[in-house]
Amino acid sequence: MKKLLYPIIIGLLAVVLTACGSNDEADKKNDEKETKTTEKETAKATEEQQKQMEEMQKKLDKQKVDEKKTVAIVNDEKISGAEYNTVLSTTQMQMQQFGQDPTSKEGAKQIKEQTLNSLVGQTLLLQAADKKGYTASKAEIEKQLAEIKKQYESEEKFKAALKQAGLNSEMLNAQIAENIPYTKYVEKEIKVEEATDEEIQKYYDQVAEQAKTSGQKVQKLEEMKPQIKEQLEQQKKQEKLVKHVEELQKNAKVDINI
């Protein structure tokens, strides 16, 4: 499977009702009556929300393709519909997190383009990593799998998260086995210069100004410097990585079939 390991994010909505009592018996009865009314209203609202979520999921599922279909061919390497659907789901979720509608005409078009670009780019990078001889040992795969499992309280919750993401253990291991060579390739082949003090200061000034405007407390530069430095360098690497993929694509044969 030619796709990178995406973080498995599962969000749960919880509605918590707290009823406050009173020593006065009359107040207590009124409170009980109000609580029952509130519970009914909340139950109705939850039911409506559930229906909306189910309707949204039906629309999202319509964007999926046949899992056995070849959606693209990159240098004679086929990308399946199953791979497309997995990345599609992640892209849909990301768009929703930014408050955008992935089921709108424009949103659906954008998601399709992003999913295909992501898959093609990832495949090209994995092919480049393979040519350079980057591999993943069994010990490295097991170590990364253990780190992922640590994020979950139990094996049951881990398996539930896999199912929610449309994955199984075999698929996850395959993704990890490809993610490791990819990570090694990016770290070794995509070099960027360290963030300068001037760049860090400029970024800090922008963050501090935004914090002041919103009435938030501004941390000192010394406290934020390591975080800002890392963020700026990651941004530089991402920009360079995009350009690198564009260069790889110039010499690649890419056929899109959807």
Side-chain angles (χ1 to χ4, degrees):
M1 300 178 72
K2 297 296 174 282
K3 54 183 174 297
L4 304 185
L5 179 65
Y6 281 89
I8 301 170
I9 304 171
I10 296 181
L12 298 175
L13 290 175
V15 178
V16 181
L17 298 175
T18 306
C20 298
S22 170
N23 292 329
D24 185 85
E25 191 63 30
D27 287 345
K28 189 178 289 185
K29 288 181 179 179
N30 287 333
D31 287 344
E32 288 175 357
K33 185 177 179 181
E34 288 175 5
T35 299
K36 287 179 180 178
T37 303
T38 304
E39 286 175 349
K40 287 180 181 179
E41 291 174 350
T42 303
K44 187 177 179 180
T46 303
E47 187 179 346
E48 286 297 320
Q49 188 179 51
Q50 184 64 32
K51 285 181 181 179
Q52 290 175 5
M53 289 172 68
E54 288 173 358
E55 287 299 316
M56 172 63 77
Q57 191 57 52
K58 286 179 183 178
K59 291 179 181 179
L60 294 174
D61 288 341
K62 284 183 180 180
Q63 295 179 357
K64 293 182 178 180
V65 300
D66 185 340
E67 290 190 353
K68 295 180 181 179
K69 180 181 178 63
T70 298
V71 298
I73 303 175
V74 182
N75 292 327
D76 298 324
E77 189 168 337
K78 295 179 180 179
I79 298 176
S80 70
E83 297 172 77
Y84 177 87
N85 291 340
T86 299
V87 179
L88 175 77
S89 295
T90 304
T91 311
Q92 289 171 335
M93 185 167 58
Q94 288 173 340
M95 180 172 278
Q96 286 177 300
Q97 287 172 347
F98 282 103
Q100 297 174 294
D101 182 8
T103 62
S104 67
K105 186 177 180 180
E106 188 61 35
K109 181 182 177 183
Q110 185 180 337
I111 279 178
K112 182 179 178 180
E113 290 177 356
Q114 286 181 0
T115 302
L116 286 169
N117 288 340
S118 178
L119 281 165
V120 170
Q122 290 165 14
T123 303
L124 288 169
L125 288 168
L126 286 166
Q127 289 174 350
D130 186 56
K131 285 181 182 178
K132 287 281 186 176
Y134 293 102
T135 59
S137 68
K138 185 178 178 180
E140 287 173 324
I141 295 171
E142 289 176 349
K143 182 182 177 182
Q144 193 165 111
L145 179 61
E147 289 174 355
I148 294 170
K149 285 186 175 181
K150 280 182 184 177
Q151 300 174 31
Y152 301 90
E153 295 177 3
S154 64
E155 184 73 18
E156 289 72 23
K157 289 189 177 182
F158 169 68
K159 288 179 179 179
L162 279 182
K163 186 177 180 181
Q164 180 74 16
L167 299 171
N168 56 37
S169 296
E170 185 180 340
M171 293 165 68
L172 179 61
N173 282 333
Q175 286 192 20
I176 293 173
E178 290 181 342
N179 189 59
I180 292 171
Y182 163 82
T183 302
K184 290 180 179 178
Y185 178 82
V186 171
E187 287 177 352
K188 299 288 185 182
E189 306 295 331
I190 312 296
K191 298 289 187 181
V192 294
E193 295 178 357
E194 287 190 11
T196 64
D197 288 339
E198 185 180 349
E199 289 172 328
I200 293 171
Q201 183 67 57
K202 183 179 179 181
Y203 186 91
Y204 172 78
D205 291 341
Q206 292 174 345
V207 172
E209 184 62 34
Q210 290 174 357
K212 287 179 181 177
T213 303
S214 59
Q216 297 176 344
K217 185 180 179 181
V218 183
Q219 288 181 283
K220 293 181 180 179
L221 174 60
E222 291 74 18
E223 296 173 346
M224 295 184 65
K225 191 171 183 178
Q227 181 184 346
I228 293 174
K229 184 175 184 294
E230 182 181 359
Q231 191 166 337
L232 288 172
E233 288 171 4
Q234 283 296 324
Q235 186 178 327
K236 286 183 179 183
K237 178 157 282 193
Q238 187 62 37
E239 290 170 355
K240 196 167 184 178
L241 193 59
V242 170
K243 290 180 181 179
H244 185 64
V245 170
E246 289 174 353
E247 288 300 315
L248 290 173
Q249 197 159 351
K250 286 179 182 178
N251 302 312
K253 183 182 179 182
V254 180
D255 294 320
I256 305 297
N257 298 326
I258 58 171

